[in-house]
Amino acid sequence: MATGIIKQIFEDKWGEFKEKYPIRPTVLSEVKKMLTCKDMSEGYSKFCCPTCNEVRYVGFTCKSRFCTSCGRKATEQWVEKLSKELFE
């Protein structure tokens, strides 16, 4: 699976960064979630087509607002909800 550029930067530099600077525990937790987002070792769902028996595995998401994938989805849902409330 391709890794986004932001996630790749964190994978490359996070260990060095957290050694140099004090970081709040919540930030440590959110970054850890983001780095393991969709990682099969953290859990997955298995889907099997009843017609052709093709099997696909999909890693669980982290649901962290810090994650560029999960956070974006949460932001889009929030914007949609808010716009409906404001403009109707």
Side-chain angles (χ1 to χ4, degrees):
M1 175 182 290
T3 300
I5 189 71
I6 302 296
K7 188 173 181 178
Q8 187 63 54
I9 291 169
F10 270 89
E11 287 173 350
D12 294 344
K13 303 293 184 182
W14 180 244
E16 181 182 328
F17 183 85
K18 69 181 181 179
E19 294 292 323
K20 287 185 179 181
Y21 302 100
I23 301 168
R24 296 186 329 254
T26 55
V27 173
L28 289 170
S29 172
E30 293 301 307
V31 171
K32 181 179 183 233
K33 282 189 216 175
M34 183 262 299
L35 289 174
T36 59
C37 187
K38 299 179 186 170
D39 184 344
M40 297 292 220
S41 68
E42 296 293 315
Y44 59 87
S45 291
K46 176 182 173 182
F47 298 95
C48 183
C49 177
T51 306
C52 68
N53 292 327
E54 179 183 352
V55 176
R56 185 161 298 187
Y57 298 91
V58 179
F60 293 149
T61 60
C62 66
K63 298 173 183 61
S64 170
R65 62 185 173 168
F66 195 74
C67 179
T68 54
S69 177
C70 298
R72 179 176 177 210
K73 183 177 178 182
T75 300
E76 288 173 354
Q77 289 172 343
W78 174 76
V79 168
E80 185 176 332
K81 179 184 175 200
L82 189 61
S83 65
K84 284 180 181 178
E85 290 175 7
L86 290 174
F87 299 118
E88 285 186 7

